Amino acid sequence: MLLESFFKLKEHGTDVRTEVIAGFTTFLTMAYIVIVNPAILSLTGMDFNAVFVATCLAAALGTGIMALVANYPIALAPGMGLNAYFTFTVVQGMGVPWQAALGAVFISGIVFLAVSLFKVREAIVNAIPQSLKFAISAGVGLFLAIIALKNAGVVADHPATLVTLGNLHDPKVLLAILGFFIIVALEYRRVHGSIIIGILAVTVLSVALGLSNFEGVVAPVPSMAPTFMQMDLEGALSAGLLGVIFVFFFVDLFDTTGTLVGVSHRAGLLDKDGKLPRLKRALMADSIAITAGAAMGTSSTTAYIESAAGTAVGGRTGLTALVVAILFLACLWISPLAKTVPAYATAPALCYVAVLMTRGLAEIDWDDLTESAPAVMTAVAMPFTFSIADGIAFGFISYAVIKILSGRFADLKPAVLVIAGLWVVKLAFFH
């Protein structure tokens, strides 16, 4: 049988039926991205329908390469957090045109490809303190949380206190809160697809109450022309965007590596030394998807931790990922449904993803102040400065300075000092 021989199903203790079920399971847990990603990126002025198509194609391409080249049951799609950084920090916060921001994503994908080919990735990842790795993940989660609460209307701006409680008499706000409760309750009960169910439940209630319009379900595949090959590479290479390229690269590096290792560990796919076989191929899938996604019109693509849902029901090979890729392609025909979903219906999904990402704070060594203090600075700076980049900068700079002043210079690896120094230069001269 072709599938058996190509994916080595028996060798991995699985079969076609199990892999197909695993693929559907993974897809249901991450299908929300085809709705949420265009909703976020369209706030930059990008065409919603074009981003929707780019999201589906980038996810299908990256996941398909992961399936056919690396043979892992891991799915890829435009990353949560990175799309928020793209929209709210780079485009809206810094005033960068979305074309130049896409150029920065494209260049970060090229850099990612280079470090994957020449094994620089391991050196970079191993040099970064564990506390900062956990803190960056948690900080991105908190950044998503404040965006979600703002989109939902749960928090609002205030001239004296910066933020305050929103209007809880607004039915849209109440629907967003209800959506979060639904997602968490379904997830606790281990219902696959809890996030997409929560989004659709809020959308249905919204349409029924006359708060939003029903646009339909199925339609011909929209044109990708408004965003296709629109990235501005020259603008992305300007001095002001070098830090942006670094953040796209840096966050995706840890996100992808951590997800690959974490999901593979749960699935028993690591070798006897605890390493991931065919890691270079897996990283190649991610880097190609990033560059191709930027060319099509979406922010950085990364491996999804939701892949663990598929491995939990037996997915062990690339056949699981191939099923996910096919399902993402099938989504191309549901653009009206994606446009029907209001922003306050996707906010609960962002809040739930924030819950998952902030779990990393529990892994920090709280008994060592030289580790915990920089970690906290990293995590809280992201939402309070409304910038993932500034949070990473605060983290590395505070880590280096605190270690030096505490007499713990031996804890510092050269790479940390170099990165901290680069952030000091960036904040001093290019902020």
Side-chain angles (χ1 to χ4, degrees):
M1 186 178 178
L2 180 61
L3 292 177
E4 157 60 37
S5 59
F6 186 86
F7 292 106
K8 302 185 170 90
L9 300 181
K10 287 184 180 177
E11 182 181 320
H12 289 87
T14 184
D15 54 43
V16 173
R17 180 179 178 277
T18 301
E19 295 289 299
V20 170
I21 291 173
F24 270 91
T25 303
T26 294
F27 175 76
L28 284 174
T29 62
M30 60 184 289
Y32 66 89
I33 195 62
V34 303
I35 297 173
V36 177
N37 194 54
I40 291 176
L41 295 188
S42 63
L43 298 176
T44 66
M46 298 174 73
D47 182 80
F48 181 97
N49 284 335
V51 177
F52 171 80
V53 175
T55 301
C56 295
L57 291 179
L61 176 65
T63 306
I65 296 174
M66 183 70 74
L68 301 174
V69 177
N71 195 24
Y72 280 121
I74 296 173
L76 292 83
M80 297 295 295
L82 287 166
N83 53 9
Y85 174 69
F86 182 103
T87 297
F88 300 107
T89 300
V90 180
V91 178
Q92 294 186 358
M94 299 171 61
V96 174
W98 60 262
Q99 294 89 341
L102 279 180
V105 173
F106 184 87
I107 294 169
S108 73
I110 298 296
V111 175
F112 196 90
L113 179 61
V115 300
S116 300
L117 287 173
F118 296 106
K119 295 188 176 181
V120 180
R121 179 202 60 83
E122 289 91 344
I124 296 175
V125 172
N126 292 336
I128 307 306
Q130 283 290 97
S131 59
L132 289 188
K133 293 177 188 175
F134 293 129
I136 289 169
S137 175
V140 171
L142 294 173
F143 182 61
L144 287 178
I146 196 167
I147 290 170
L149 294 173
K150 175 177 174 290
N151 288 349
V154 176
V155 298
D157 60 338
H158 191 281
T161 61
L162 295 182
V163 293
T164 188
L165 184 65
N167 179 14
L168 295 184
H169 298 286
D170 187 339
K172 296 178 181 179
V173 177
L174 296 177
L175 282 178
I177 295 172
L178 175 63
F180 177 70
F181 292 161
I182 290 172
I183 291 172
V184 173
L186 290 176
E187 192 65 28
Y188 177 77
R189 293 172 176 273
R190 300 179 186 272
V191 176
H192 297 306
S194 58
I195 296 178
I196 195 69
I197 291 171
I199 291 174
L200 293 177
V202 173
T203 301
V204 169
L205 288 172
S206 178
V207 171
L209 294 172
L211 301 174
S212 59
N213 298 320
F214 179 63
E215 303 286 344
V217 178
V218 179
V221 179
S223 170
M224 200 165 54
T227 60
F228 184 68
M229 295 297 289
Q230 294 297 308
M231 67 274 195
D232 178 8
L233 298 180
E234 185 176 345
L237 287 171
S238 64
L241 287 192
L242 293 179
V244 171
I245 295 171
F246 175 74
V247 170
F248 280 132
F249 163 76
F250 194 78
V251 174
D252 194 65
L253 177 69
F254 291 118
D255 200 6
T256 296
T257 306
T259 299
L260 285 170
V261 174
V263 174
S264 299
H265 174 69
R266 294 184 197 179
L269 298 174
L270 300 180
D271 63 21
K272 59 182 178 136
D273 298 320
K275 294 182 179 179
L276 189 64
R278 308 184 303 282
L279 176 60
K280 183 183 290 188
R281 296 184 189 180
L283 292 172
M284 288 275 288
D286 191 35
S287 54
I288 292 171
I290 293 171
T291 52
M296 289 185 283
T298 184
S299 53
S300 299
T301 302
T302 188
Y304 261 59
I305 194 65
E306 283 87 343
S307 303
T311 60
V313 296
R316 292 294 181 269
T317 74
L319 182 54
T320 293
L322 183 61
V323 171
V324 177
I326 293 170
L327 291 172
F328 270 120
L329 287 177
C331 285
L332 288 168
W333 284 268
I334 62 164
S335 60
L337 179 60
K339 289 188 72 176
T340 298
V341 178
Y344 54 86
T346 60
L350 296 183
C351 275
Y352 178 67
V353 173
V355 171
L356 297 180
M357 297 186 76
T358 51
R359 290 188 300 185
L361 290 175
E363 305 296 328
I364 295 169
D365 183 1
W366 293 99
D367 293 326
D368 185 347
L369 265 177
T370 66
E371 296 288 335
S372 59
V376 171
M377 287 297 296
T378 304
V380 301
M382 289 187 192
F384 292 147
T385 63
F386 218 69
S387 170
I388 293 174
D390 290 340
I392 293 174
F394 278 40
F396 274 95
I397 294 170
S398 62
Y399 189 89
V401 173
I402 288 172
K403 286 289 186 181
I404 292 171
L405 294 180
S406 301
R408 299 274 295 275
F409 191 83
D411 292 353
L412 287 170
K413 295 183 179 180
V416 175
L417 289 171
V418 170
I419 294 172
L422 290 173
W423 277 118
V424 169
V425 172
K426 198 267 182 186
L427 292 175
F429 298 105
F430 303 108
H431 193 64

